[in-house]
Amino acid sequence: MIDGKRVLGLVCARGGSKGVPRKNLRKLGGRPLVAWSIASARACPLIDRVILSTDDAEIAETAKAFGAEVPFLRPAGLARDDSPEWLVWRHALSEMKAHQEFAADYLVVLPPTSPFRDITAVEGSLRQLHATGADIVISVTDASRNPYFNMVELDATGAARLCKRPPGGVVRRQDAPKVYDITTVVYSARADFVHSSGGTWEGTVQAVHIPAARALDIDTEMDLRFAEFLLAEGHVKP
């Protein structure tokens, strides 16, 4: 809770992941991916309740074992490959208000694909949301490519051009305007904004910066192997 504002922690983990089958139950450092996000949410002192949204009974039971509430199962219509995550957030807020008597003011979403988040990033995201009056706070990390310097678009003939070309051009990467990659580490949003809008960019957006090692997004088998490497070599701490 922040100054009387109730905070709901949400972990979204459907059963039908494609890039890494059963991804949310795959083990990393001896525990399933979904458990990492649950642990982060439970460790944040500002989060009042931690719930899991899933369509999958096995994921639900695993989440309960690691301390999350699973007060409902997600409808099949919100668990397809093309189901908007935003509607999953809205569904969770509505279910908690209608059936759990918990009307959240703020929602913090912790995707299982980012197991290495630091608790300070979660708390910082929520505090920034509260302090700035933003509608949503996303997480970002330094981009490995830059549209002003080494990212191109191809036209119908195959000709290449820079995505963004500032006046005079940029001859050194260091001189290009700073850009960032969006990460899946943490999203903090006002509940009323989630209910009233159709997505992130319809509101006022702020961002918290995440170090590269903490920003890993597991979407493929290679990502999972790299996560195992980072743990084994001590580049991140559980």
Side-chain angles (χ1 to χ4, degrees):
M1 187 172 288
I2 309 176
D3 294 340
K5 302 291 187 181
R6 294 199 287 185
V7 180
L8 178 65
L10 174 63
V11 179
C12 301
R14 70 187 184 95
S17 55
K18 294 293 190 297
V20 181
R22 305 297 288 165
K23 174 172 60 181
N24 294 307
L25 295 177
R26 291 287 292 274
K27 294 291 182 65
L28 175 65
R31 54 180 170 166
L33 279 181
V34 69
W36 288 77
S37 289
I38 293 169
S40 295
R42 284 169 54 83
C44 179
L46 303 179
I47 296 177
D48 298 294
R49 293 178 69 173
V50 180
I51 69 168
L52 179 95
S53 172
T54 187
D55 61 317
D56 186 279
E58 184 180 6
I59 294 175
E61 290 305 311
T62 300
K64 291 176 186 177
F66 282 93
E69 298 179 56
V70 188
F72 55 83
L73 284 179
R74 192 191 310 179
L78 291 178
R80 300 192 303 261
D81 291 344
D82 60 351
S83 297
E85 186 88 351
W86 196 263
L87 297 185
V88 176
W89 298 3
R90 188 182 295 171
H91 174 262
L93 287 167
S94 297
E95 285 290 311
M96 291 299 291
K97 182 177 181 179
H99 303 297
Q100 297 292 316
E101 298 183 351
F102 186 85
D105 299 292
Y106 297 154
L107 176 71
V108 56
V109 182
L110 304 176
T113 52
S114 290
F116 296 148
R117 67 178 58 82
D118 194 301
I119 304 305
T120 57
V122 180
E123 186 170 346
S125 173
L126 282 164
R127 291 196 182 281
Q128 189 165 333
L129 179 77
H130 184 64
T132 64
D135 293 308
I136 186 168
V137 176
I138 63 174
S139 50
V140 300
T141 194
D142 293 345
S144 59
R145 293 285 181 179
N146 192 306
Y148 294 94
F149 182 72
N150 57 5
M151 293 181 66
V152 300
E153 299 172 347
L154 302 180
D155 67 17
T157 70
R161 63 183 178 189
L162 277 175
C163 293
K164 298 176 74 70
R165 187 174 179 83
V170 174
V171 296
R172 299 191 313 152
R173 176 180 54 82
Q174 295 86 346
D175 296 330
K178 188 73 174 175
V179 296
Y180 301 90
D181 288 332
I182 297 175
T183 77
T184 59
V185 170
V186 58
Y187 302 87
S188 294
R190 297 180 182 274
D192 57 0
F193 174 65
V194 175
H195 281 300
S196 64
S197 69
T200 300
W201 304 109
E202 292 183 10
T204 302
V205 184
Q206 289 259 324
V208 291
H209 183 267
I210 308 295
R214 293 285 182 185
L216 179 65
D217 179 17
I218 296 177
D219 195 45
T220 66
E221 289 286 350
M222 184 180 295
D223 295 332
L224 190 55
R225 295 290 179 267
F226 185 53
E228 292 168 346
F229 166 80
L230 291 176
L231 272 183
E233 296 296 316
H235 294 290
V236 293
K237 301 295 183 184

